[in-house]
Amino acid sequence: MEQQNFLNLLSDSIFIFYNNRIIFANDKALCLIGYKSIYDIVGKSIINGLSPHQDCIKTIKKIIRKVENNEMVSKVVQKLIRKDGTTLSVEISGTPYVYEEKHVIMFIVRNISENIPLVEHRGKRLDKKAVFTEAMSTPFVHNGTEAILTVAHDITKRKMTEEALKESEERYVKLVELSPDAIFITDRDKFTFVNHTGAALLGVSYPKELVGQDFLKFYHRDCYDKIKERSNNLYTKEKNLPLVEAKMIKLDGTVIDVELSSTALNYNGERTILNITRDITERKKADENKRQLEEAIQFDKLKTEFFSNISHELKTPLNIILASIQLINALHRDIEKCQIYDRSNKYIGTMKQNCFRLLRLINNLIDITKLDAGFLNMNFGNYNIISVVEDITLSILEYTQSKGITLLFDTDVEEKITAFDLDKIERVMLNLLSNAIKFTGENGNIYVNIYDKDDKIIILVRDTGIGIPENMIDKIFDRFRQVESSLTLNQEGSGIGLSLVKSIVEAHGGTITAKSKYGVGSEFTIELPIRLVKQDNDVKQESIPFERQKVEKISIEFSDIYS
Ligand code: ADP
């Protein structure tokens, strides 16, 4: 009886056979087959009592034979037919057993069709907090009725920890994968992990291609020893090593500049080295460009200073030469019937013209250097721009006539007062006019037109000269730019004039543009804004006495034109 009570406590179905007859079945076993009472089964043969499926009878007999021979049979899957005709999948284990002092056969049968496996479930507690459970259900006989026994554990804590771990692991993996820095993990100088940036850095399509490869072979020989030493240090003593710059060689042989920091890391239980590497090639290039730029600026400054000094140094002796020439000239003229006057006059004229040419060049150089240094002072005053342009144009009539060129001036207004630097605008006009004369042959025309556009004034200088080739038109305002001499009338010049003209016009808030057709002529258009400056005297209606300096100014600006 004690034995029966014990067997009834078990969660498995127990059948006991003696002499091929069932002598005991526990409550679980009765329930499994569908019997109500033990008396319904006791005394039945094994096959009748267990009612195995047709296909299983043979195997069951085999199990019995084995147990009779004192062997144990473990977990053979079989099918039984219940009293209600339903089929059950069971796992049968057979063993010799001593029951009420008899040597019997015991079958331990487990229903595998009804056993609901371990399931996890997410629910809510009464206090609305989330709860995770893990439950296992199994058929169970309670007070003679069939029931399901569910055993559940609260696994919330474990689940939370698992999820946090998973989340942090995923985040870590994402971080490593999306890192803009190359991440290389190396074990004894062989790659064990490379992220996508790392593969791209070395010019490899897939990170896996690098795994197992020698890490050090990707370093340039200039830094190979340094990196090897760092790696050895990390294996033996150091934990972290500071940022260093190095050179790496991509798969295609390109050398790149990198910056790397390294740290010892436990990866998959091994001491490995984590190298975080950044491509700094562009930064290095930018640094080098910056250095070169600074050097160039410095050099340019030196050059400007040199130009400025030399220009001033040249001007002093030149002025002395000019003054002396003028003296000789005057002397010769005064000596009555100077025998060599006619002959010397010609040479003195040549000397004077060339002095003016030098003076023009020096003046332009001084202005250019002042412009570069931001020191070109503008002396604005309110003047009548029409009369200033007209005066200066007409003052060169003599030159144009001597060259057989027709000079035509036209304006649609007689007066327009605006603020400008008188001296500078005169130089602009003389420069454009001297160019027009230089590049216009005999019988050509030069037109100077002024158009009033209310808030601005337009000054046009047009000639019917040789013109400027199309590919040069954008460049003529650049400093020292000249059209190739074979395309010009072999005229002299330094290529500074137009660049200075442009700077002066721009300093007035205006613009200058050029249009030309090679072989037909050129047209320069200046647009000056109309504005007034505050000044002590009233508006200067007329230009300041120009006459006195006019001849000299023209002589200087026109010194390039050989008469
Ligand atoms: P330069 O002192 O040599 O005349 P500019 O800066 O004044 O220098 O002019 C630059 C170049 O532009 C000239 O060398 C010439 O080739 C071209 N150029 C300027 N004006 C004219 C023009 N009116 N007709 C043809 N070419 C011109």
Side-chain angles (χ1 to χ4, degrees), residues 209-390:
E209 288 176 39
L210 286 170
V211 174
Q213 287 205 44
D214 183 11
F215 169 65
L216 287 168
K217 82 170 185 203
F218 287 91
Y219 280 93
H220 192 271
R221 60 178 183 289
D222 290 357
C223 52
Y224 185 93
D225 291 342
K226 177 172 73 179
I227 301 296
K228 175 118 191 101
E229 194 187 324
R230 274 169 74 90
S231 164
N232 288 344
N233 279 347
L234 283 167
Y235 277 121
T236 51
K237 38 188 184 204
E238 308 287 353
K239 256 205 113 225
N240 296 305
L241 285 178
L243 213 62
V244 278
E245 287 188 5
K247 281 186 190 307
M248 287 190 96
I249 307 161
K250 289 174 80 129
L251 208 65
D252 64 4
T254 324
V255 178
I256 51 168
D257 288 295
V258 296
E259 179 181 81
L260 75 150
S261 63
S262 314
T263 181
L265 174 85
N266 269 337
Y267 180 69
N268 289 344
E270 295 285 330
R271 188 178 172 97
T272 56
I273 296 171
L274 172 74
N275 295 288
I276 301 177
T277 310
R278 182 172 292 182
D279 186 348
I280 56 163
T281 314
E282 288 306 316
R283 194 181 82 194
K284 278 270 201 196
K285 245 189 236 164
D287 284 352
E288 177 57 18
N289 287 348
K290 199 173 148 212
R291 196 191 57 75
Q292 280 179 0
L293 185 72
E294 272 162 12
E295 235 178 64
I297 290 171
Q298 194 57 29
F299 180 69
D300 218 50
K301 217 171 127 198
L302 269 175
K303 211 172 62 185
T304 309
E305 267 170 30
F306 171 76
F307 267 138
S308 168
N309 290 343
I310 202 93
S311 308
H312 280 104
E313 289 305 313
L314 285 172
K315 208 168 167 176
T316 318
L318 194 61
N319 277 330
I320 296 171
I321 298 171
L322 253 176
S324 308
I325 292 170
Q326 255 147 358
L327 265 175
I328 297 172
N329 216 3
L331 264 176
H332 280 195
R333 216 176 313 141
D334 288 350
I335 301 168
E336 262 180 60
K337 289 194 189 112
C338 173
Q339 287 173 358
I340 57 160
Y341 179 75
D342 286 342
R343 264 188 291 155
S344 65
N345 196 31
K346 189 180 152 211
Y347 299 122
I348 288 169
T350 311
M351 274 157 53
K352 207 169 160 187
Q353 190 192 9
N354 281 288
C355 280
F356 282 143
R357 285 187 70 199
L358 277 176
L359 206 59
R360 177 177 183 253
L361 180 63
I362 292 167
N363 283 346
N364 282 351
L365 272 175
I366 290 175
D367 285 349
I368 285 277
T369 47
K370 275 188 188 159
L371 258 172
D372 281 351
F375 291 134
L376 186 69
N377 284 334
M378 301 299 286
N379 198 3
F380 286 108
N382 300 323
Y383 309 103
N384 180 4
I385 184 81
I386 313 292
S387 63
V388 170
V389 173
E390 186 172 0

Side-chain angles (χ1 to χ4, degrees), residues 431 435 438-439 463 467-468 476 481-483 493-495 497-498 522:
N431 201 295
N435 276 345
K438 258 199 260 179
F439 300 106
D463 62 59
I468 303 162
I476 53 168
R481 275 305 183 124
Q482 286 180 303
V483 175
S494 58
L498 283 180
S522 312

Side-chain angles (χ1 to χ4, degrees), residues 360 364 431-432 434-440 463 465-468 476-478 480-484 488 491-500 516 521-524 560:
R360 177 177 183 253
N364 282 351
N431 201 295
L432 293 182
S434 79
N435 276 345
I437 296 172
K438 258 199 260 179
F439 300 106
T440 304
D463 62 59
I466 59 162
I468 303 162
I476 53 168
F477 293 107
D478 296 349
F480 309 125
R481 275 305 183 124
Q482 286 180 303
V483 175
E484 200 189 311
T488 67
Q491 291 295 344
E492 312 259 347
S494 58
I496 305 181
L498 283 180
S499 113
L500 199 62
S516 185
S522 312
E523 184 178 290
F524 290 83
D560 277 350

